[in-house]
Amino acid sequence: MQKHYTGLIERYRDRLPVSASTRIISLAEGATPLIQLQNIPRMIGKDVEIYVKFEGLNPTGSFKDRGMTMAVTKAVEAGSQAIICASTGNTSASAAAYAARAGIKAFVLIPDGKIALGKLAQTLMYNATIIQINGNFDQGMELVKEVANHAPVSIVNSINPFRLEGQKTAAFEIVDELGFAPDYHCLPVGNAGNISAYWKGYNEYATDRVCGNRPVMCGYQAAGAAPFVAGHPIENPETVATAIRIGNPQSWDLAIAAQQESGGWFDKFTDQQILAAQKMLSQFEGIFCEPASAASLAGALYDLSTGKIPEGSKIVCTLTGNGIKDPEIAMQQCADAKPVTIEANLDAVKRAILDSM
Ligand code: F0G
């Protein structure tokens, strides 16, 4: 009989820094679906295989849970009673959930007014202490690093190496499922932990000959928050994709290494392009991700259109978070599609249907 799924640490235990006596803090994260796009490749007239790794189906709705199960497991193992992070929203929701699971406290610093509604609601429900700052993520990150020197709290941002250990398992899952690594791996880049973690995962599998190839890593940023494209940190990042509204990425060197070693690149896309990709995925594939996540598809489609990614390629795009997290953007995206209100009788319903056929 098959044992029920108990999360990515159990699944990849031999590749993660845990021992037999470690108490695993898990919400059965990971094992997210890898969905092959069917309609969009046909619409763009390209012979390609595009798969999306839908990380929005993790327990708190984002890829952060992969790193958080490891980071909180190790914090608890080390005797921590409290964790802290700066966040654009998803890390805070994830940290709060895993802290609740572990029975410890979570403190989160978030930029006032700049996090999506769903993420705020989650973090409140999981009962974290939320500290809103009159500043952006980068300022929050600096404060968290300082305060951790003065208070008994473990940082669970991706500067915590256990975060990347957990997140590298997404690459394992992709290879385990496809039987090979994709030719190109596209993902949104903010603080740059995730691109670094994927590269680590692909490298470990290639080194151990679990697969024979490694992907080219393509990191996409929002035009108003694109330090990797600029080549240096930027002061006042701005984008509708609040998850990646970051100007001073903490995993700078690791992300540059991933790009250079894989022969990949960074690029940037406007809010309009990102939102168009988000809507396209929802409308034509039935996959609802949050705006930041759609940067991966926006980039892949652009690079396919210019031939930078050639036809015949196998591409994986990571969809980092669930669209339900940001209902306000979704409603704005669909402002023209107002629901009709009618009388509650059969005739009116029939007319409403026939009118919109
Ligand atoms: N996509 C989503 C939905 C995110 O929440 C983030 C980061 C990223 C992409 C970028 O990933 O930072 O590893 O390059 N969110 C962090 C947070 C910063 O606080 O939730 P990255």
Side-chain angles (χ1 to χ4, degrees):
M1 219 175 68
Q2 209 183 354
K3 194 167 166 279
H4 92 285
Y5 182 76
T6 50
L8 59 84
I9 295 180
E10 291 295 0
R11 179 168 179 194
Y12 293 109
R13 173 176 270 282
D14 56 338
R15 294 183 174 277
L16 293 169
V18 288
S19 73
S21 61
T22 306
R23 176 187 162 208
I24 309 292
I25 311 298
S26 171
L27 291 164
E29 57 294 307
T32 54
L34 187 67
I35 309 166
Q36 184 171 4
L37 300 188
Q38 294 178 340
N39 300 317
I40 292 175
R42 202 172 53 231
M43 287 163 55
I44 62 171
K46 297 280 184 191
D47 174 26
V48 282
E49 286 177 29
I50 307 176
Y51 299 86
V52 295
K53 181 72 171 157
F54 194 13
E55 291 288 278
L57 294 183
N58 275 298
T60 77
S62 87
F63 73 96
K64 305 290 179 179
D65 296 342
R66 288 184 187 275
M68 209 54 73
T69 183
M70 267 310 311
V72 175
T73 290
K74 294 305 281 187
V76 167
E77 187 173 51
S80 251
Q81 291 296 314
I83 57 174
I84 190 167
C85 64
S87 181
T88 56
N90 280 325
T91 301
S92 58
S94 187
Y98 284 82
R101 185 77 162 168
I104 61 174
K105 269 200 81 64
F107 296 95
V108 308
L109 264 73
I110 56 172
D112 189 17
K114 294 286 186 180
I115 90 165
L117 187 62
K119 301 174 189 177
L120 190 58
Q122 286 181 285
T123 309
L124 286 165
M125 284 299 287
Y126 297 133
N127 201 28
T129 300
I130 301 182
I131 303 164
Q132 304 201 76
I133 59 164
N134 288 318
N136 60 28
F137 171 84
D138 302 305
Q139 293 165 301
M141 193 65 245
E142 291 311 313
L143 287 167
V144 162
K145 286 195 282 189
E146 279 178 45
V147 83
N149 292 326
H150 301 280
V153 288
S154 300
I155 298 181
V156 293
N157 282 104
S158 53
I159 55 172
N160 176 332
F162 297 123
R163 278 277 310 277
L164 302 198
E165 287 297 308
Q167 284 171 217
K168 75 183 180 185
T169 60
F172 298 163
E173 287 179 14
I174 290 166
V175 174
D176 287 345
E177 190 161 342
L178 293 177
F180 51 82
D183 302 314
Y184 296 87
H185 192 117
C186 305
L187 68 176
V189 173
N191 210 22
N194 213 25
I195 191 170
S196 308
Y198 270 96
W199 186 237
K200 187 170 200 295
Y202 283 125
N203 268 312
E204 283 184 22
Y205 259 21
T207 304
D208 296 345
R209 303 197 183 285
V210 181
C211 64
N213 66 316
R214 299 179 302 178
V216 171
M217 302 298 292
C218 308
Y220 301 121
Q221 303 207 279
F228 285 108
V229 182
H232 53 78
I234 62 159
E235 199 69 39
N236 292 306
E238 271 313 334
T239 170
V240 69
T242 51
I244 52 173
R245 187 172 165 268
I246 294 172
N248 186 19
Q250 297 296 305
S251 295
W252 184 277
D253 293 344
L254 288 174
I256 295 286
Q259 176 248 318
Q260 290 180 347
E261 290 167 21
S262 73
W265 56 84
F266 294 107
D267 206 349
K268 59 180 180 183
F269 294 93
T270 63
D271 284 356
Q272 228 177 352
Q273 288 171 301
I274 290 170
L275 291 175
Q278 186 202 20
K279 194 152 187 196
M280 194 177 185
L281 257 179
S282 302
Q283 284 193 317
F284 301 119
E285 300 285 357
I287 300 167
F288 184 24
C289 67
E290 66 171 286
S293 309
S296 61
L297 183 70
L301 295 182
Y302 179 79
D303 287 332
L304 277 165
S305 76
T306 62
K308 195 169 185 179
I309 296 180
E311 282 206 54
S313 297
K314 295 179 169 65
I315 305 166
V316 171
C317 294
T318 300
L319 301 181
T320 45
N322 199 304
I324 300 171
K325 282 173 172 276
D326 201 338
E328 289 165 322
I329 296 293
M331 294 307 284
Q332 284 169 29
Q333 286 260 58
C334 301
D336 293 341
K338 288 210 186 69
V340 290
T341 304
I342 57 162
E343 291 308 310
N345 63 56
L346 184 59
D347 262 358
V349 176
K350 275 201 309 203
R351 227 175 308 121
I353 290 171
L354 292 175
D355 282 354
S356 62
M357 291 286 271

